[in-house]
Amino acid sequence: MPPKRKHHDAGGTTARERKKLKMADARTISVQAAPTGNASTMNNQANAVGSSSAGPGPSKTVVQFDSMQGLPASIDVERFTEARAYEIDAMQKAIKTARHVTNDTQLRFSEVLCSESSTHRAWQTLPRHLRRRAASHDVRRVPVRLRDKARSEMDPHKRRLLGRPKRGKGNQITKTESFLKRQRDKSWLETHIWHAKRAKMQTMWGYRLAVTPNEKAFRPSHRASMHGSILHDASYYATIELKGSQFLLRAAFERCCDPQVSEMKRYMTGGRAYETHMYKHASYPFDLLGPVTIIWQPLSPEDNFSQPQEALTQPERVKGKGKGKGKGKEKQTENPSSETKNGSRVIWVRCHPAIFEDIFETLRASASYVLEQSKKIDPEIYAEIEIADLRGCINAFEIMGPKSSQIIKGAFSLAGSDDRKDVKKFWNALGDLQTSGGLSRGTVIGFKIHDPRLKFPPKNAKPHYEDFTTPSAQSSPVFTYPSALIAQSEIWDEETRGSLKKPKYKKKDIDERRSKNLVPGTPLAPLRQDDRIPVLLVQRSVEPSPVSSSYTTQSDSTQGIHGWTLLFPAGWAMAFLSSLLYTGTRFAGQRERTKQFFEAGVCGFPNDYPLIDAYEVVSNDRAEKERACWERTPPAKKPNYEKLGTRSPWRADWGVVLGLKNPPATQISSSQGQGEEELLTTQRENPSHPNAMQEDDASSSVRPWLLRGPRVSTILSNTFITPVQFLCEINQLRSKNHMEQLEATLSADDLMRSALVMVRAKMVRRGAPTDLANIYKMDDPEARKWIKTFEKGSQGATGLSEPNEIELAEIRPPQSDIIGYVTTGDVSLARGEGFAIGSIPVMQCLALRKQALRLSQPSVLVKIRNRDGTTCRVAYLELLDSY
């Protein structure tokens, strides 16, 4: 029978025997034979022992240390090494050929050594928990200490090239080009890669933004905003720059800004940021766009500060009178020319990306109108307004929390080239500021800082608490009044921003300089050629306005959230982010930022702004996703909204709430079993009189609008206000900003009944409202029952009040009692109870206030039912005034 294997010797040893010999040889250390010639007694003994153990098998060498006799006082290293060269070489060869052991005590030693005679490959010597599937052909899947051996074991002909597939020289693309290719339908922020590794990303408003961190961060983020610091990259906010005459710019903004906010005169010096809302050109109170932040470039010290004050008053007289004689007419022609020459100003308008195009078109329309009016007054004057898009040129970080000041002070270093004493005083006292809420709202501070990478790793500034009982500690330099001098910054210069578009030194250059420090961790001293970055620090507060006493609740412990908005040139986002987050600051996504508005009791854009275009887009997207998810769910696992009596489960039907639209036919048929509602709904569905159809057509032409602003509580303070008085209030606000009266075709009744007002709801006892929860009104008998139930519960009669409360909560109200919807609702961590923000019609708000007066109640009572629930909970309702 022929042998099965090539070169097989039937009479020789078997494979098992050969393996045993191989293992025995690997475990044997050879000993040098006895040399010939004369030798000393000790060498002869050593050689005799060595010769006796030179055969196969493990060798044994016995060394006795009974005495120190015969040892030389000193040895020659070279001669000693040459004499023991054979033993050293035998030991090294035995180490290489020894088989790896797998017990834990010898594992580290065996992994360092490489086995030439072992039958195991490098990855097979690892324990089970360290083995990887691709370790046989991928060196990177093997620990570093075994990669050399694994690399030598791989077949060089079958080695697979890692990374992108090989392309031709003309078709090769760089890493930057591959990233740009992925941004065709969206834009990335400079911190996108950092956030993509740590947060869930979603495409929103043309950007790829972080929605929420991957880790559990709901409560820690709230604690950070209330007791620590939290950072949000708001670089996706759009910035629009306007250049032109001061008078023309102010007139243009008066045509589109909210007239309820204080006048812009106090903000024109540049020391404060102007928070307001913008409408379409001359459309107030209709066509609300959204909130904006306006920052004027501060006046330089060389300018005459009295010049802008004259420019504010003289042209207003020209516009108001339109005619003049003698010297007055000469002033009308001279003041605009001098203002055009010396009064040119620059304004930044920061807005949400969802309304950028609308804001841009509104500013263009207002600027065109103002320029046309100026030409009619004096055709000889040349005036222009430049509008530029600065998206991608300005980065912004929102740093919120009481420790935000210490974070900024510890991460950055003030450049020494600034000679302004007020800025240095402010910077020295910034670390002692417990919260930025103690400063004036919207304070703007401009300064230069060194490259934050030079100071890495940063250390938080520790506040120093002084004894305020001493007279010297009564005033602190941090409470500096906003001024144009302290707000000066070079970030307004386009050339300066362009020169800082790319840092002069890369991170590897900074690390190389840091490696030359004698003491590790020592900050680098800034050199003359290092970058100095101009920044703007704007005080930011998310807090509700004080509500009117007519709509206040029993007790409300709402606290605002204060911090800073850091504006800096593009190209420095990662350098700033690394230093700011190293100090222990948490990062926030869209969910955490929305929760900041919710916890502060302030409406968040665009989720809490019904009837505007941005809200409709968000509402439609949410409705499609929730409806698709609901349809995929089995019937036994999802709520039946038809049986629950939910009229609109996917989106709020504001037209039906305002009475401008009729509910769908399916909803009418489902509510016909509720007694008297049958005749009313049948008449609306099929009007028998021809005038009924005309009323429906008239109501469809009425535009619904949102009433908001700090003066809402003042306008609605009169509970018995008539539609005519309401129209007069709106016209007075329009005339304040030099706008014409509303059209005569718009009746006062239609204006008042088509208005929505934002409210906040605080649960009386239990209950947590959710988004799209229904807000119901109550009649007087039911409201009295709830009031008696609460009074019994407050007196301690829990046994009597609890069943009664349950019975009242199970009463299902008719759909006709829906007066509004909750736009954002959840359990408030700051309040420890349910809280909601929603909207109701103005007419219903006044009716509820009248009911509270009849019941002698200081607050308005309503019922709230979640769209997937059957229990109604009672809540206090108050007006929500925007900041």
Side-chain angles (χ1 to χ4, degrees):
M1 182 177 179
K4 293 182 179 180
R5 294 178 179 85
K6 191 177 181 180
H7 304 297
H8 178 72
D9 188 6
T13 59
T14 62
R16 184 180 183 87
E17 293 175 351
R18 288 195 302 269
K19 186 175 181 181
K20 278 188 175 183
L21 292 175
K22 184 179 179 181
M23 299 303 296
D25 183 64
R27 296 176 179 179
T28 303
I29 302 176
S30 60
V31 182
Q32 186 178 6
T36 59
N38 298 328
S40 61
T41 305
M42 295 183 61
N43 290 336
N44 290 337
Q45 294 177 356
N47 292 335
V49 176
S51 62
S52 63
S53 61
S59 61
K60 295 182 180 179
T61 302
V62 181
V63 181
Q64 298 180 357
F65 298 96
D66 295 340
S67 65
M68 302 295 292
Q69 296 179 0
L71 296 178
S74 62
I75 61 173
D76 189 354
V77 179
E78 295 182 1
R79 293 180 59 187
F80 183 79
T81 305
E82 292 176 358
R84 301 299 179 186
Y86 184 85
E87 287 82 352
I88 295 174
D89 183 65
M91 179 61 71
Q92 292 179 350
K93 188 178 295 184
I95 291 174
K96 288 184 177 181
T97 57
R99 183 182 180 182
H100 293 275
V101 292
T102 58
N103 53 29
D104 296 338
T105 58
Q106 300 176 355
L107 179 60
R108 297 181 179 176
F109 182 74
S110 62
E111 289 177 352
V112 178
L113 307 177
C114 297
S115 174
E116 296 178 356
S117 64
S118 176
T119 58
H120 291 69
R121 300 185 64 177
W123 62 272
Q124 290 176 319
T125 61
L126 297 172
R128 296 288 182 182
H129 69 280
L130 289 180
R131 296 185 184 182
R132 298 295 182 265
R133 177 177 58 84
S136 60
H137 60 272
D138 191 354
V139 181
R140 295 178 299 179
R141 296 294 184 179
V142 182
V144 180
R145 54 181 173 269
L146 293 177
R147 286 183 183 177
D148 293 338
K149 183 177 185 301
R151 190 177 289 106
S152 62
E153 293 175 352
M154 288 186 181
D155 189 356
H157 301 287
K158 298 182 180 180
R159 188 178 302 171
R160 187 171 61 90
L161 296 177
L162 303 176
R164 295 187 300 270
K166 187 176 181 180
R167 307 167 65 99
K169 291 185 178 180
N171 297 329
Q172 289 182 355
I173 60 175
T174 62
K175 197 172 184 178
T176 303
E177 292 175 349
S178 65
F179 286 162
L180 294 176
K181 187 177 180 181
R182 296 163 60 183
Q183 302 181 44
R184 292 179 178 177
D185 57 341
K186 56 186 175 297
S187 299
W188 287 1
L189 303 181
E190 295 181 11
T191 60
H192 169 79
I193 297 179
W194 190 92
H195 281 92
K197 297 177 181 179
R198 298 164 178 87
K200 294 179 177 62
M201 309 298 290
Q202 185 178 348
T203 302
M204 307 172 67
W205 310 301
Y207 291 89
R208 192 70 176 174
L209 303 178
V211 179
T212 178
N214 291 331
E215 60 180 356
K216 294 183 178 179
F218 188 82
R219 289 179 180 270
S221 298
H222 170 70
R223 287 193 294 265
S225 61
M226 300 301 295
H227 307 289
S229 60
I230 188 170
L231 182 144
H232 175 72
D233 188 357
S235 302
Y236 57 91
Y237 262 63
T239 303
I240 304 174
E241 185 180 67
L242 289 86
K243 295 181 180 179
S245 172
Q246 177 175 284
F247 166 68
L248 296 179
L249 290 177
R250 180 180 177 183
F253 278 102
E254 287 180 349
R255 303 287 299 180
C256 56
C257 287
D258 188 2
Q260 297 187 39
V261 188
S262 58
E263 295 185 1
M264 192 179 292
K265 183 177 181 180
R266 60 181 302 196
Y267 303 95
M268 295 178 65
T269 59
R272 299 173 185 263
Y274 184 49
E275 301 283 348
T276 184
H277 284 68
M278 191 168 288
Y279 297 77
K280 288 186 179 180
H281 173 67
S283 296
Y284 181 84
F286 302 100
D287 300 328
L288 173 64
L289 298 180
V292 296
T293 302
I294 301 174
I295 304 177
W296 289 74
Q297 182 181 10
L299 299 171
S300 60
E302 291 79 9
D303 296 338
N304 186 9
F305 287 91
S306 62
Q307 176 72 18
Q309 299 294 336
E310 297 177 0
L312 292 177
T313 56
Q314 298 287 351
E316 287 183 359
R317 278 181 260 165
V318 174
K319 187 174 182 179
K321 294 183 178 180
K323 295 182 181 180
K325 295 183 180 180
K327 295 181 180 180
K329 191 173 183 178
E330 293 177 0
K331 288 183 180 179
Q332 294 174 9
T333 58
E334 290 177 1
N335 285 333
S337 61
S338 62
E339 180 186 335
T340 305
K341 181 178 179 180
N342 300 324
S344 180
R345 300 291 299 275
V346 180
I347 299 178
W348 282 355
V349 180
R350 302 189 69 248
C351 63
H352 196 275
I355 56 174
F356 166 75
E357 296 180 357
D358 296 335
I359 295 293
F360 197 86
E361 292 297 328
T362 300
L363 292 175
R364 289 182 57 183
S366 299
S368 300
Y369 175 83
V370 170
L371 292 176
E372 291 178 0
Q373 296 297 323
S374 63
K375 289 182 180 180
K376 292 180 180 179
I377 296 176
D378 193 349
E380 298 181 358
I381 297 179
Y382 174 77
E384 64 176 359
I385 297 178
E386 299 179 4
I387 305 178
D389 180 11
L390 296 186
R391 288 181 298 179
C393 299
I394 305 296
N395 287 336
F397 284 171
E398 294 177 355
I399 311 172
M400 306 299 293
K403 294 184 179 180
S404 57
S405 302
Q406 288 78 21
I407 295 299
I408 296 174
K409 178 67 178 299
F412 303 137
S413 297
L414 187 65
S417 58
D418 199 340
D419 297 334
R420 293 175 294 175
K421 296 182 180 179
D422 294 340
V423 175
K424 292 183 178 180
K425 289 181 179 179
F426 174 83
W427 183 260
N428 294 332
L430 183 62
D432 299 335
L433 185 63
Q434 298 183 17
T435 175
S436 63
L439 300 178
S440 300
R441 298 296 180 262
T443 302
V444 180
I445 298 97
F447 50 88
K448 273 187 177 183
I449 61 174
H450 292 291
D451 190 344
R453 297 174 297 177
L454 302 176
K455 195 180 179 181
F456 193 87
K459 296 181 181 179
N460 291 346
K462 297 182 179 180
H464 175 67
Y465 303 102
E466 298 181 357
D467 187 9
F468 289 92
T469 57
T470 58
S472 59
Q474 293 297 328
S475 61
S476 177
V478 76
F479 298 101
T480 305
Y481 189 78
S483 62
L485 181 62
I486 199 175
Q488 295 288 335
S489 178
E490 295 183 7
I491 195 175
W492 294 89
D493 188 9
E494 184 178 0
E495 296 181 359
T496 304
R497 297 195 305 266
S499 61
L500 295 171
K501 186 70 175 180
K502 186 177 181 181
K504 188 177 297 183
Y505 295 100
K506 297 182 179 179
K507 185 178 182 298
K508 65 176 184 179
D509 301 331
I510 302 295
D511 293 340
E512 184 178 356
R513 290 172 53 183
R514 188 178 290 109
S515 64
K516 297 179 181 179
N517 287 344
L518 297 178
V519 180
T522 305
L524 295 176
L527 304 178
R528 181 176 54 85
Q529 58 270 21
D530 287 332
D531 293 321
R532 271 76 174 173
I533 305 101
V535 299
L536 277 182
L537 202 60
V538 184
Q539 193 275 343
R540 181 173 182 264
S541 294
V542 181
E543 58 181 355
S545 298
V547 296
S548 175
S549 58
S550 301
Y551 295 89
T552 184
T553 58
Q554 301 291 341
S555 60
D556 194 0
S557 58
T558 303
Q559 295 181 359
I561 303 176
H562 310 281
W564 301 93
T565 299
L566 183 65
L567 304 178
F568 55 94
W572 291 89
M574 279 307 304
F576 280 45
L577 184 71
S578 301
S579 298
L580 291 171
L581 292 182
Y582 189 86
T583 56
T585 303
R586 302 187 65 91
F587 77 95
Q590 294 296 321
R591 184 189 67 174
E592 286 71 28
R593 189 175 187 270
T594 304
K595 286 300 178 181
Q596 291 179 10
F597 289 94
F598 175 74
E599 295 294 343
V602 180
C603 55
F605 185 85
N607 297 329
D608 296 328
Y609 283 76
L611 303 180
I612 67 173
D613 297 339
Y615 171 83
E616 295 297 332
V617 173
V618 174
S619 179
N620 293 335
D621 294 343
R622 182 177 60 180
E624 292 177 1
K625 293 180 181 178
E626 292 182 353
R627 188 182 185 88
C629 181
W630 183 83
E631 292 176 352
R632 293 193 305 265
T633 307
K637 303 295 183 181
K638 62 184 178 182
N640 191 334
Y641 294 114
E642 184 178 357
K643 292 184 178 180
L644 291 174
T646 302
R647 186 174 64 189
S648 181
W650 313 119
R651 53 173 303 168
D653 49 357
W654 300 109
V656 180
V657 171
L658 292 170
L660 305 180
K661 295 181 180 179
N662 294 328
T666 56
Q667 298 171 1
I668 296 176
S669 61
S670 63
S671 62
Q672 286 181 355
Q674 298 179 3
E676 300 179 357
E677 296 294 333
E678 183 177 358
L679 297 177
L680 179 61
T681 54
T682 304
Q683 183 178 2
R684 290 182 180 178
E685 183 68 16
N686 298 317
S688 58
H689 197 274
N691 294 333
M693 184 63 68
Q694 296 178 2
E695 292 178 359
D696 291 342
D697 296 339
S699 62
S700 61
S701 61
V702 178
R703 291 189 299 171
W705 57 284
L706 180 64
L707 175 63
R708 53 135 317 276
R711 296 186 58 184
V712 172
S713 58
T714 304
I715 296 175
L716 300 181
S717 60
N718 182 12
T719 308
F720 302 94
I721 185 174
T722 61
V724 177
Q725 295 175 348
F726 185 78
L727 178 61
C728 293
E729 293 285 347
I730 299 300
N731 286 328
Q732 288 180 3
L733 292 175
R734 288 179 60 89
S735 61
K736 175 184 175 182
N737 282 8
H738 309 285
M739 287 185 287
E740 300 80 6
Q741 303 291 324
L742 289 175
E743 298 179 358
T745 57
L746 180 63
S747 64
D749 295 335
D750 293 340
L751 178 67
M752 191 169 184
R753 73 186 182 94
S754 62
L756 279 179
V757 62
M758 291 184 288
V759 294
R760 63 167 66 96
K762 178 186 175 184
M763 308 308 294
V764 178
R765 284 190 179 177
R766 62 180 66 181
T770 59
D771 297 351
L772 293 180
N774 299 335
I775 303 177
Y776 295 91
K777 63 181 179 180
M778 294 185 293
D779 53 6
D780 293 354
E782 185 179 3
R784 290 189 178 93
K785 292 180 181 179
W786 280 103
I787 294 172
K788 291 181 180 178
T789 302
F790 298 149
E791 291 177 354
K792 292 180 181 179
S794 61
Q795 294 176 1
T798 57
L800 298 177
S801 62
E802 193 68 22
N804 193 10
E805 183 178 354
I806 295 176
E807 293 175 0
L808 292 175
E810 294 297 334
I811 298 176
R812 179 182 298 182
Q815 295 181 358
S816 59
D817 288 348
I818 299 177
I819 60 173
Y821 290 94
V822 171
T823 55
T824 302
D826 200 354
V827 177
S828 175
L829 298 179
R831 300 168 180 83
E833 57 186 1
F835 181 74
I837 295 175
S839 296
I840 61 174
V842 172
M843 300 292 292
Q844 296 292 341
C845 182
L846 297 176
L848 291 174
R849 183 56 193 162
K850 294 176 183 178
Q851 183 188 43
L853 293 177
R854 292 195 303 269
L855 300 177
S856 301
Q857 291 295 316
S859 304
V860 174
L861 290 177
V862 294
K863 293 193 302 182
I864 298 180
R865 182 182 69 88
N866 293 333
R867 53 178 174 172
D868 57 349
T870 59
T871 304
C872 295
R873 302 296 182 184
V874 179
Y876 293 117
L877 210 65
E878 65 181 16
L879 291 177
L880 178 69
D881 294 336
S882 301
Y883 61 94

